[in-house]
Amino acid sequence: VGYIATAVSYEIKGNDDIHQETYESLRNSLPSRKYADLISSADGYRNQMASDANAFVQQIPFYRARPFYTIAIYALHKGGMEYLAATVLISASMGAALSIILYLWLSLYLNGISRFLLSILVALSVGIPEIERISTPDGLSSFILVLSFFFLIEKKNLLGSYMLLLISLFARTDNIILALLLLLYLLVGRRKEYRLSPGRFALSAVLLFSIYLGLDYFTGSYGLKTLFAHTFVQKLTNPLGYNGSFTAYDYLLALASGVKSILFSPYVVSLSFFTLLGFVTFLLQPIDARKNSLESHLIMLMMLSVLVHFLVFPLPDSRFFVTQYIIISIMFLRTTRGFSAPNQVGAGLQTENAP
């Protein structure tokens, strides 16, 4: 709902008008039972959003910091689609695009039916069907990030990879975590072809933070304290006037709740599987090669980014980590195939043998 309201606000001004347009669109698009759930009096927060235009519009800054996604919704609506249908199309098309790039990437290492079957298995395992079914920017974000790592790993194109990382912030600002960890790796890494000079590292980091802070400022973000309180304490119906606190104790409660969610939810399956897959890949590396192995380095980087993301924002959800799981899968395949890409598929995805 928040993403649709954001798209509506690009053209329509006035709280009442934004509220009316958003809910009329949803009423026309949703089955009557689902729309009734959306405005149900049994849920105080949802009911107030449906009845209070001022409170509803105050939710928009929580969603506005994903401009690529919300602008895409708006553009598709201007092309004649209902807002909800636009969100469904974006998620489905990004899931399909992820599946295609995954298939083409696997084609560098596998032939025949094996690449087709493995691409389906990996797509299912990393959660691509999940992000196809939900109206969030995660599919768009994951596609940009996976493409970025393809440029880095297979093309050894640091500039292309970095530019895509910058672009990914416009899909999800929390991509800055993975981007900064990658920059740190490029700064201290042992592989010369992937090394970044201190000057370029500093410039790249400054540019990353500038985009992040710029998005935070120009989209009217309420700040991390309000976001955390809204996510982990209670839904805020008046975030604009929120002057409460989010203490260390509140964070520890959120962290404990997140850990509990991991242990007693389906997320533990995917997290455990890909952690184990990364560990097995590391063990398959010759001992004397691990220090300089791109595969080992990137697996550690992916797992570290999952951990840091969870510590910063302790909400365990596999849709946040689709990119990490895909990269771990690719690194496992590269290791078992002897670190080489014997096949070439299409001019756009051609690569030379990896070391």
Side-chain angles (χ1 to χ4, degrees), residues 3 63-70 137 140-145 148 161-181 183 203-216 219 309:
Y3 291 118
Y63 302 90
R64 195 181 284 148
R66 315 284 194 264
F68 271 9
Y69 182 66
T70 52
L140 176 60
S141 170
S142 298
F143 174 74
I144 297 171
L145 287 174
S148 171
S161 176
Y162 175 70
M163 294 304 296
L164 286 165
L165 285 176
L166 289 179
I167 291 171
S168 77
L169 296 184
F170 292 88
R172 286 197 67 96
T173 49
D174 54 348
N175 286 337
I176 193 172
I177 295 172
L178 182 56
L180 284 174
L181 288 174
L183 286 181
L203 179 62
S204 301
V206 167
L207 189 53
L208 269 176
F209 275 109
S210 297
I211 291 177
Y212 176 84
L213 294 174
L215 284 169
D216 193 64
T219 59
H309 190 286

Side-chain angles (χ1 to χ4, degrees), residues 214-283:
L215 284 169
D216 193 64
Y217 177 78
F218 288 108
T219 59
S221 170
Y222 294 124
L224 289 177
K225 182 185 72 172
T226 303
L227 174 63
F228 273 56
H230 181 71
T231 305
F232 299 111
V233 179
Q234 63 177 0
K235 295 293 185 183
L236 301 176
T237 57
N238 182 30
L240 186 61
Y242 179 73
N243 58 4
S245 61
F246 187 81
T247 65
Y249 179 71
D250 293 326
Y251 169 77
L252 290 175
L253 287 178
L255 185 62
S257 177
V259 172
K260 182 180 179 181
S261 296
I262 292 175
L263 296 177
F264 300 100
S265 74
Y267 303 133
V268 71
V269 177
S270 57
L271 180 61
S272 300
F273 174 77
F274 286 102
T275 300
L276 179 61
L277 187 65
F279 184 66
V280 169
T281 305
F282 184 78
L283 291 179

Side-chain angles (χ1 to χ4, degrees), residues 52-67:
D52 188 337
N54 292 327
F56 177 73
V57 171
Q58 286 187 48
Q59 308 300 305
I60 290 178
F62 288 128
Y63 302 90
R64 195 181 284 148
R66 315 284 194 264

Side-chain angles (χ1 to χ4, degrees), residues 248-321:
Y249 179 71
D250 293 326
Y251 169 77
L252 290 175
L253 287 178
L255 185 62
S257 177
V259 172
K260 182 180 179 181
S261 296
I262 292 175
L263 296 177
F264 300 100
S265 74
Y267 303 133
V268 71
V269 177
S270 57
L271 180 61
S272 300
F273 174 77
F274 286 102
T275 300
L276 179 61
L277 187 65
F279 184 66
V280 169
T281 305
F282 184 78
L283 291 179
L284 289 173
Q285 301 277 335
I287 295 176
D288 57 348
R290 290 173 186 167
K291 289 184 179 180
N292 294 312
S293 167
L294 176 67
E295 289 73 22
S296 295
H297 295 169
L298 287 183
I299 282 174
M300 289 188 287
L301 181 68
M302 294 301 108
M303 297 312 302
L304 180 61
S305 71
V306 171
L307 176 61
V308 172
H309 190 286
F310 178 73
L311 291 176
V312 171
F313 196 75
L315 187 66
D317 197 328
S318 294
R319 65 189 174 91
F320 296 146
F321 309 124

